[in-house]
Amino acid sequence: MTRRKSIHIGEFKHANPIPNASRIGNLLMSGVILGRDPATGAMPERIEDQCANMFAHMKAIVEAGGGSTDDIIKMTVWLQDRTQRAPVNVEWLKMFPDEHSRPARHALQMNMDGGALVQCDFTAVID
């Protein structure tokens, strides 16, 4: 049995031959998570829709890895326009409503291709 386990979710795949996340022991780290529509693979035009999809993909990935969103300890978000944090915060508050139990988060600005306005990765510690 291998020490490292690749995590895949069917509705969200990378174009490259990499998993959605990888887990060793109780540590799970995701690859980049975009806001593509899981049914069509298309990138929505609105950042609000991309954020909703991105957070849904994040939840599906951590659950496929044997955890829950309560296990997420750190999230990094990249935005095409760093002033567009409000749509991220809407989904953030839905996923992490308890102000005393939220992951750390860092937001950076980055030029993205393919119509992406936001993307993220995360780290989870799963007991």
Side-chain angles (χ1 to χ4, degrees), residues 61-112:
I61 291 166
V62 74
E63 288 175 353
S68 75
T69 57
D70 289 339
D71 298 314
I72 297 171
I73 193 164
K74 173 72 166 57
M75 181 179 178
T76 302
V77 178
W78 291 271
L79 293 154
Q80 185 77 22
D81 177 355
R82 199 162 167 243
T83 66
Q84 293 292 310
R85 289 187 188 161
V88 175
N89 288 338
V90 167
E91 298 301 324
W92 173 263
L93 292 172
K94 287 179 192 175
M95 186 168 283
F96 308 112
D98 182 355
E99 69 177 300
H100 301 290
S101 180
R102 291 185 181 137
R105 189 179 92 186
H106 192 70
L108 302 165
Q109 189 159 324
M110 181 174 93
N111 289 329
M112 291 178 257

Side-chain angles (χ1 to χ4, degrees), residues 9-69:
I9 59 171
E11 61 272 7
F12 177 72
K13 295 181 180 181
H14 285 279
N16 295 305
I18 57 173
N20 297 116
S22 186
R23 180 175 173 174
I24 294 178
N26 68 344
L27 183 64
L28 182 139
M29 297 185 80
S30 79
V32 68
I33 303 169
L34 296 168
R36 293 192 183 283
D37 183 300
T40 66
M43 186 67 74
E45 290 184 22
R46 295 175 357 112
I47 190 170
E48 293 82 0
D49 298 327
Q50 289 187 28
C51 286
N53 291 339
M54 181 181 75
F55 274 83
H57 296 321
M58 187 168 64
K59 181 178 187 296
I61 291 166
V62 74
E63 288 175 353
S68 75
T69 57

